[in-house]
Amino acid sequence: MDGFNRSYLVHVPASATADVPAPVLFVYHGAEQTPEQIRALAAVEQFADPQGYITVYPEGVQLGWAVGSTTGPDLAGVDDVRFTRAMLVVLSASLNIDPARIFATGFSNGAMFTHKLACDGADVISAIASVGATMLENVADTCAPVRSISTLFLHGTEDVSFPWDGRVGGPLFVLMGAEETLATWAAISACDPVPSVEPLPDIAADATTVERQEFSGCSGGAKLSFYVINGGGHTWPGSANPLPASAFGRTTQDIVASQEIIQFFDSVGGP
């Protein structure tokens, strides 16, 4: 596809049976990560398997994703939204997949891609969960999903790779801030602009706290949730295999992102 051989890992849990349509969860790795590395970092299967999710770990061209910017895959003409659609076609040929429960999550560059996927692939993607990334301004400017799509967003206030207030890396690499990204999705889904705010229990002595924001009134029954990781870095919350704190900052253990993601996906409907 797009002149490249594409690959992905597929995990089918024992709880998935041929006679019951199964939900699918795509997990997109960060830049320079491999599918095996994001699988270990996120460890979603411990929460996804009991719910019967088929988990898919795609591999990006040059270990990155075409996010609508100037990344290597973008410049090479890669279309990862089309790749996602193609994976679904192949998976559906051999597995009993529920087309109303197709989900995507990702970390860092992979999370950037989930925002683009939500904008351009909402006809097949039921909901996304973004961990450690914000939206590109040019993607937000043209984002017009065919329906309101449910979005879960987790971001650390001390994220150095995707700073809380955004970053300009070039004409096509203007990263919006976390709050601007959230406001963009609230506007896209016509949610009430002011969320409810709930501080979560500070159960770990790791110099972080977590606040959950929930938006109501979104169109089409969509949901929008935001976890603010106060003091959190460019990390996957609750990971048992965290990235080095010296390079990426603190990993909160007050929540387990993968558990929250599966609970969120379980709570939303499909296209």
Side-chain angles (χ1 to χ4, degrees):
M1 177 172 287
D2 300 320
F4 297 91
N5 293 322
R6 305 302 303 267
S7 63
Y8 50 94
L9 301 177
V10 180
H11 169 72
V12 181
S15 56
T17 59
D19 58 332
V20 178
V24 173
L25 173 57
F26 290 101
V27 184
Y28 295 90
H29 60 73
E32 303 303 320
Q33 279 188 323
T34 64
E36 292 83 1
Q37 288 171 326
I38 190 61
R39 187 180 191 182
L41 177 69
V44 298
E45 290 165 26
Q46 62 178 307
F47 305 105
D49 280 12
Q51 304 302 109
Y53 282 71
I54 295 167
T55 47
V56 183
Y57 304 88
E59 182 173 301
V61 171
Q62 302 172 21
L63 294 183
W65 303 101
V67 295
S69 180
T70 54
T71 67
D74 282 302
L75 296 176
V78 172
D79 185 340
D80 282 316
V81 175
R82 186 170 65 173
F83 175 44
T84 301
R85 294 181 186 276
M87 285 188 286
L88 277 172
V89 170
V90 174
L91 292 167
S92 298
S94 58
L95 298 168
N96 188 2
I97 288 173
D98 185 347
R101 292 189 295 163
I102 309 297
F103 306 106
T105 189
F107 175 65
S108 192
N109 177 237
M112 286 178 74
F113 174 65
T114 65
H115 290 284
K116 181 172 176 57
L117 183 61
C119 293
D120 298 345
D123 56 312
V124 294
I125 298 297
S126 308
I128 66 161
S130 167
V131 183
T134 56
M135 286 184 85
L136 286 166
E137 186 175 80
N138 63 298
V139 171
D141 288 345
T142 59
C143 185
V146 296
R147 67 175 184 94
S148 296
I149 184 165
S150 294
T151 306
L152 175 62
F153 185 32
L154 303 95
H155 204 82
T157 60
E158 303 299 321
D159 191 318
V160 295
S161 297
F162 290 79
W164 186 263
D165 293 325
R167 174 167 62 90
V168 177
L172 288 178
F173 204 86
V174 179
L175 284 172
M176 296 163 55
E179 292 173 338
E180 187 180 5
T181 298
L182 186 67
T184 296
W185 278 115
I188 288 171
S189 295
C191 306
D192 295 338
V194 180
S196 63
V197 177
E198 178 189 5
L200 300 185
D202 185 12
I203 60 175
D206 55 16
T208 68
T209 60
V210 180
E211 174 186 290
R212 180 170 56 210
Q213 299 182 12
E214 298 281 357
F215 289 75
S216 61
C218 305
S219 64
K223 293 187 176 183
L224 176 59
S225 298
F226 181 31
Y227 286 78
V228 180
I229 316 299
N230 294 300
H234 189 59
T235 59
W236 189 280
S239 176
N241 304 288
L243 297 170
S246 57
F248 296 98
R250 302 183 188 95
T251 299
T252 188
Q253 298 297 329
D254 289 334
I255 61 168
V256 178
S258 296
Q259 182 177 28
E260 302 298 330
I261 287 167
I262 296 301
Q263 289 177 349
F264 181 78
F265 288 158
D266 280 345
S267 74
V268 302

